[in-house]
Amino acid sequence: MYYVAKVDSNMCAEYKCNTCTLYCPEANTLMFDKAGNTSWVDIDRCKGCALCVYVCTDMLNRDCITMEMPNVGEG
Amino acid sequence: MSLKYITPAERFKKYLPKDYVELVDYGPFGKTQDQAGPGNMGQFKELVEEHPMCSGCWMAYYIRLIFASLPCPEETVTLGTAGCGRLAISQAAVPFVYGNYGDQNAMASGLSRAFRLRFPDKTKDVITIAGDGGTMDIGFSMTMHSWIRGERFTTIMLDNEVYGNTGGQESGMSPKGAVLKMAPFGKNFEKMPATGLAIAAGCVYVVRMSPTNIKKAAKVIRRAIFVAREVGPTFIQAYTSCNIEYSIPTEEVFADAKAQEKDRFQFEEFMTDEAKAVIERVEAEEKAASKARKAASKAAAAEVN
């Protein structure tokens, strides 16, 4: 596996923002949960480009998204 | 296709693939841009997904944006040709016709004429989405002739300034001096003036842009489609970088698109008076409809309370 985006839901929910979901090159991957007011990542589809990290960190100064190694293939 | 054709009978839904049923229930078919448009991508099921484009591909992003901006996806047909773009476009839930090496605009001419004859009571959108090679090199004659004939459909050029799918040969749209894997001494010639050629050939709405502002990019795509329905050929040249051939780190792809917006892809919009009249009329209608919907939902909410 490789590094994929991970959204810190608690931090993300503090802002009224869905900017990262608008700039992901993969459709139906970085989704927005309206009820929880947070973005979330479908890790099976994420290709790990880190464009969302650029949007969240460099553009908006929010640091809600990090690139992490997912736990897959266990059991 | 049509909305009626896409929507399955309720009792058959349980036998159909889950992905298809979700697309009908949560996709953009038959919905307005406020409900399922570029402004709320990530909150509805989009028409294109799980494509084989590279990680961080800005072309894949722009294709996603095109499909989210379609005014009427159930009445749209896309055409493309060899290149990276068709890998994603051909997978979208919109009928796609594959042109043989650059003849997408010739096919689109016939297709849009046939639609007007076969469905005189309907509005069918024909859109060709091809790369810079397909539009301006290999398909150059067919593209130019379709514009000169005044064929009423939209041409979108995904300009990545290189033949990305075949290992990095220079294209007519590569900038002068570009050093690429298959052009190691740098390109000797100037970048082709695509928008100038389009205007000279008779396109009624021409735009050159780098899609960094989502609202603006969506507005341009919709304008091009609306004008093509009534007036004549429309053309969009959009910067969709190739992060592999131009060695752009994936996380900097967006920053690169912004830098190009100030450089080779400064926003340029050309429209004839006729096209302007159509745009003003359609946008005023859309605004009024959205206002009416908002007022209706407000009234419904007040009634519940």
Side-chain angles (χ1 to χ4, degrees):
Chain A
M1 199 53 194
Y2 49 87
Y3 287 92
V4 295
K6 189 169 186 241
V7 180
D8 185 331
S9 311
N10 295 330
M11 271 169 83
C12 183
E14 286 174 25
Y15 305 99
K16 207 180 170 194
C17 164
N18 65 338
T19 316
C20 59
T21 64
L22 305 182
Y23 288 104
C24 176
E26 301 297 311
N28 301 334
T29 301
L30 187 55
M31 304 299 282
F32 187 72
D33 171 18
K34 223 171 180 182
N37 192 31
T38 174
S39 302
W40 59 278
V41 181
D42 184 340
I43 58 165
D44 291 337
R45 287 179 180 164
C46 179
K47 288 181 184 167
C49 68
L51 262 172
C52 51
V53 177
Y54 172 82
V55 170
C56 195
T57 306
D58 295 44
M59 268 175 66
L60 303 168
N61 281 327
R62 284 179 185 166
D63 290 325
C64 302
I65 309 178
T66 47
M67 299 305 288
E68 285 181 23
M69 189 65 78
N71 290 319
V72 289
E74 287 168 9
Chain B
M1 297 242 271
S2 69
L3 193 57
K4 202 178 163 195
Y5 184 82
I6 287 165
T7 316
E10 203 57 43
R11 66 174 68 178
F12 282 125
K13 272 190 177 174
K14 63 179 174 186
Y15 301 110
L16 288 168
K18 203 174 159 216
D19 252 10
Y20 181 77
V21 178
E22 279 181 355
L23 193 61
V24 175
D25 289 346
Y26 308 111
F29 293 125
K31 292 186 184 142
T32 62
Q33 289 277 294
D34 302 340
Q35 292 162 331
N40 49 9
M41 287 201 298
Q43 296 174 51
F44 64 94
K45 189 167 170 73
E46 287 168 50
L47 295 167
V48 55
E49 71 176 21
E50 295 201 351
H51 52 70
M53 311 279 276
C54 305
S55 169
C57 177
W58 201 238
M59 186 186 282
Y61 167 70
Y62 188 61
I63 289 170
R64 181 186 176 210
L65 188 55
I66 293 172
F67 281 109
S69 313
L70 293 179
C72 197
E74 60 274 15
E75 305 280 4
T76 303
V77 174
T78 56
L79 295 99
T81 187
C84 297
R86 59 88 207 246
L87 297 172
I89 303 160
S90 59
Q91 291 198 10
V94 170
F96 171 78
V97 185
Y98 181 77
N100 196 21
Y101 298 108
D103 70 359
Q104 71 284 354
N105 273 41
M107 287 199 308
S109 306
L111 197 62
S112 63
R113 286 187 193 186
F115 277 153
R116 287 191 169 87
L117 280 174
R118 173 67 181 81
F119 304 103
D121 54 333
K122 275 188 175 179
T123 313
K124 295 271 187 186
D125 297 322
V126 176
I127 306 166
T128 68
I129 312 168
D132 47 319
T135 311
M136 279 291 148
D137 288 357
I138 304 165
F140 184 67
S141 66
M142 284 172 267
T143 307
M144 290 301 282
H145 278 281
S146 74
W147 290 343
I148 290 164
R149 288 195 304 270
E151 304 285 353
R152 286 174 288 168
F153 64 86
T154 307
T155 306
I156 299 176
M157 176 163 75
L158 308 167
D159 187 1
N160 61 1
E161 308 188 304
V162 66
Y163 283 88
N165 207 15
T166 47
Q169 293 84 0
E170 66 175 47
S171 83
M173 299 305 295
S174 303
K176 192 177 180 183
V179 176
L180 301 156
K181 282 177 200 152
M182 302 263 182
F185 298 113
K187 192 188 171 193
N188 286 330
F189 317 104
E190 290 292 342
K191 185 179 170 79
M192 286 170 78
T195 49
L197 287 167
I199 295 166
C203 282
V204 293
Y205 181 75
V206 178
V207 170
R208 177 186 61 205
M209 72 179 312
S210 172
T212 52
N213 182 331
I214 198 159
K215 266 190 184 165
K216 195 168 162 188
K219 196 164 95 179
V220 163
I221 294 165
R222 291 170 66 78
R223 280 181 170 186
I225 294 171
F226 290 135
V227 172
R229 281 178 183 176
E230 295 175 37
V231 189
T234 56
F235 175 59
I236 301 171
Q237 176 192 5
Y239 177 65
T240 56
S241 65
C242 181
N243 58 341
I244 304 292
E245 297 303 337
Y246 276 86
S247 306
I248 308 161
T250 54
E251 66 273 19
E252 287 167 28
V253 165
F254 191 9
D256 168 70
K258 276 199 214 164
Q260 287 302 337
E261 200 170 19
K262 295 194 179 95
D263 188 10
R264 289 194 297 279
F265 286 84
Q266 287 176 10
F267 186 73
E268 176 194 321
E269 191 178 38
F270 163 86
M271 60 180 97
T272 60
D273 292 340
E274 226 179 345
K276 197 175 180 183
V278 171
I279 289 167
E280 279 170 0
R281 193 193 73 228
V282 172
E283 285 180 355
E285 280 170 11
E286 277 194 334
K287 218 174 179 180
S290 140
K291 221 175 184 178
R293 269 197 307 276
K294 268 182 196 159
S297 68
K298 223 177 197 177
E303 213 164 83
V304 171
N305 293 334

